[in-house]
Amino acid sequence: MAALVTGLLLLAGCAPSDYSEGINSFSQAISQANTTEQTLADSYEKVEIANYIQHFSGQKAVVDFSKCHGTPGPYKAGDCVVEVQGISSPTAPPSSMAGLTKYAALLSAVVADKTCASLQSDATSIASSISNMAKKAQQPTLEKAASPSASIVSTLGCLVIANEQLAILREATKDANPVIQKLVPLIARNDQDMYLTILEDNISQLDDATIAYNTAVRAYQKSNSASDLAKSASDLAKVVSLTQVVNSAQVSQPGPLISKLATLHQTLTDALAAPTINLKMVENDAQGFVADAKVVGSAVKILANPQQP
């Protein structure tokens, strides 16, 4: 206990401004990753529903209208669904970013805390969020060793709030890092799988469009008519548009992007553990990540809604 108090007092020269920008930039990167994943999930669901409709059209559909009315209740999301041959219409998988997003937001909350009570509350919530991330990462050993960050404030009695903010940030990132290193690859794989489903749908559209264009060309070569020429030109424009969409999406994939979050958190953990706090590299890397995530999100939106002539 005495050693810990002494260690905290040695941090007296460290002000919140030394780490707040880095922490907030990290949180913004996680938030943008979550936004990009939601765009991806929405697009994935749209593609899966279209495939579902194409596959099951012409077959009997069943809707349990009592559930749609909320009877007997309480109504739960997903109760009102259509089933064809016992198979429900598809929905996007649950967000794999939820736990990480909450954890990152709590780090920013710690930086903003002005009272011991709020610091205690956020430290306790961080411990819980790390445990929840460990469950998501399927790491029971790490789950049992979830952060004891909350005990720092209650044990030391909030001697100097800025010191204890830093102590909690150090403890939280140290304890969360092994979990995040396991969790991020799972998130990256999940997002990449959704992306590949959307991409394959577009490549299938491109295949159909190419066949349609070549058919139109053969028709024009036989007829030499202006209408068949116009049809082939329209079909070619569609092929060009789809190739551009696929090309853009291929160079902006979510899996490799999300994988960078593991490195970003490792950098944050190491920087906070250093004797002298400097989170400038974290801040720069996080800002670069946000920019890249926006590009990926835009590519996914175009992939889901290609502008075809």
Side-chain angles (χ1 to χ4, degrees):
M1 171 64 182
L4 186 53
V5 173
T6 301
L8 286 175
L9 290 175
L10 289 174
L11 297 173
C14 185
S17 58
D18 294 328
Y19 49 80
S20 60
E21 289 300 320
I23 293 294
N24 289 334
S25 293
F26 172 78
S27 296
Q28 289 163 10
I30 299 297
S31 178
Q32 185 60 54
N34 183 57
T35 298
T36 299
E37 185 184 73
Q38 291 309 304
T39 299
L40 190 60
D42 291 345
S43 301
Y44 170 84
E45 184 176 278
K46 180 180 177 180
V47 168
E48 288 294 274
I49 288 175
N51 291 337
Y52 178 88
I53 292 170
Q54 183 176 18
H55 181 75
F56 287 113
S57 290
Q59 301 182 50
K60 183 179 179 180
V62 177
V63 176
D64 188 336
F65 285 96
S66 63
K67 287 186 177 180
C68 290
H69 281 293
T71 305
Y75 183 84
K76 302 186 299 298
D79 278 353
C80 186
V81 295
V82 59
E83 290 187 352
V84 181
Q85 294 188 346
I87 300 175
S88 302
S89 57
T91 59
S95 171
S96 52
M97 284 288 302
L100 185 54
T101 303
K102 182 177 180 180
Y103 162 78
L106 285 166
L107 293 184
S108 283
V110 165
V111 171
D113 284 335
K114 303 298 183 185
T115 67
C116 293
S118 59
L119 201 56
Q120 173 73 67
S121 175
D122 287 334
T124 301
S125 296
I126 287 175
S128 176
S129 73
I130 295 173
S131 178
N132 289 336
M133 283 193 293
K135 288 180 183 177
K136 194 74 176 180
Q138 301 173 355
Q139 297 292 316
T141 302
L142 294 174
E143 183 185 342
K144 290 177 182 177
S147 173
S149 305
S151 65
I152 297 175
V153 180
S154 59
T155 301
L156 296 180
C158 207
L159 296 175
V160 180
I161 196 166
N163 290 350
E164 292 178 25
Q165 284 175 324
L166 181 56
I168 289 170
L169 293 172
R170 282 176 162 172
E171 183 70 17
T173 52
K174 176 179 70 68
D175 290 344
N177 196 53
V179 177
I180 289 173
Q181 298 306 315
K182 297 287 186 181
L183 178 60
V184 166
L186 300 181
I187 298 172
R189 184 161 61 247
N190 177 65
D191 287 0
Q192 187 70 6
D193 286 347
M194 288 194 291
Y195 157 83
L196 289 174
T197 296
I198 303 168
L199 179 64
E200 284 304 314
D201 180 72
N202 272 258
I203 292 176
S204 178
Q205 291 181 50
L206 174 58
D207 185 32
D208 291 343
T210 303
I211 292 171
Y213 167 67
N214 288 329
T215 300
V217 167
R218 287 192 293 270
Y220 168 68
Q221 289 173 341
K222 288 180 180 180
S223 69
N224 203 32
S225 71
S227 61
D228 283 344
L229 178 61
K231 175 68 165 59
S232 69
S234 175
D235 287 348
L236 180 57
K238 185 175 181 179
V239 172
V240 171
S241 176
L242 283 167
T243 54
Q244 290 174 333
V245 168
V246 169
N247 179 68
S248 175
Q250 286 280 29
V251 298
S252 303
Q253 301 188 21
L257 172 78
I258 296 299
S259 295
K260 293 179 181 180
L261 291 177
T263 303
L264 183 60
H265 190 270
Q266 183 68 62
T267 303
L268 175 64
T269 303
D270 293 343
L272 285 170
T276 301
I277 305 299
N278 186 343
L279 301 190
K280 193 62 180 176
M281 180 180 292
V282 174
E283 185 179 346
N284 291 338
D285 289 350
Q287 290 172 352
F289 180 93
V290 168
D292 291 343
K294 288 180 178 179
V295 171
V296 170
S298 296
V300 170
K301 284 183 180 178
I302 294 172
L303 198 60
N305 301 282
Q307 298 298 312
Q308 299 175 7

